[in-house]
């Protein structure tokens, strides 16, 4: 049987009070995880906000014709330079290579009759 003086309610009341106090502090600090919304998918991540950021790759050539980009990739492949391509925001095709091969790739592409 609980004692008749009511002290058995003190522990749970203190715990509820502390949880309420911590909740108010977190709410005041701006940690309102219940009101969080999903980010707009059109904005992208902050680390990819720069349109010229291709990670570990560097642009070796930019062209408006996809066939020319394929010819450049073939030419670079014959020279032993690994290359890929992507499209920029303007719709142009960008041929990408690794940074240590970018100078050699640009020299080869500059001499290419495809351009």
């Amino acid at each position: 049987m609980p004692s008749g003086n009511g002290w058995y309610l003190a522990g749970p009341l203190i715990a509820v009070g502390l949880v309420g106090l911590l909740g108010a502090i977190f709410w005041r600090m701006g940690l309102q995880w219940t009101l969080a919304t999903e980010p707009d998918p059109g904005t992208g991540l902050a680390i990819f906000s720069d349109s010229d950021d291709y990670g570990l790759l560097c642009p070796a050539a930019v062209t408006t014709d996809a066939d020319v980009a394929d010819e450049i990739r073939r030419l670079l492949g014959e020279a032993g330079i690994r290359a890929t391509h992507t499209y920029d925001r303007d719709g142009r095709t960008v041929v990408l290579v690794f940074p240590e091969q970018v100078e050699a790739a640009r020299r080869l592409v500059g001499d290419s009759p495809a351009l």
Side-chain angles (χ1 to χ4, degrees), residues 43-63:
T43 60
L45 296 174
I47 57 174
F48 297 118
S49 64
D50 186 12
S51 63
D52 294 336
D53 183 20
Y54 300 110
L56 294 176
L57 301 176
C58 297
V62 179
T63 180

Side-chain angles (χ1 to χ4, degrees), residues 5-114:
N5 59 11
W7 281 102
Y8 64 92
L9 290 177
L13 288 176
I14 291 172
V16 168
L18 284 175
V19 168
L21 178 69
L22 288 174
I25 290 171
F26 287 153
W27 185 269
R28 182 72 179 153
M29 288 174 47
L31 302 176
Q32 300 144 349
W33 59 89
T34 59
L35 299 177
T37 60
E38 291 294 322
D40 182 23
T43 60
L45 296 174
I47 57 174
F48 297 118
S49 64
D50 186 12
S51 63
D52 294 336
D53 183 20
Y54 300 110
L56 294 176
L57 301 176
C58 297
V62 179
T63 180
T64 56
D65 189 8
D67 294 332
V68 173
D70 288 337
E71 181 66 24
I72 291 171
R73 287 181 54 219
R74 186 194 59 75
L75 177 72
L76 293 174
E78 289 174 357
I81 299 174
R82 292 182 295 170
T84 187
H85 73 279
T86 188
Y87 302 99
D88 64 4
R89 293 184 185 208
D90 298 329
R92 297 178 298 181
T93 305
V94 180
V95 179
L96 302 170
V97 297
F98 286 102
E100 59 271 2
Q101 298 173 330
V102 81
E103 291 302 320
R106 287 182 180 166
R107 279 195 301 271
L108 283 172
V109 169
D111 296 336
S112 172

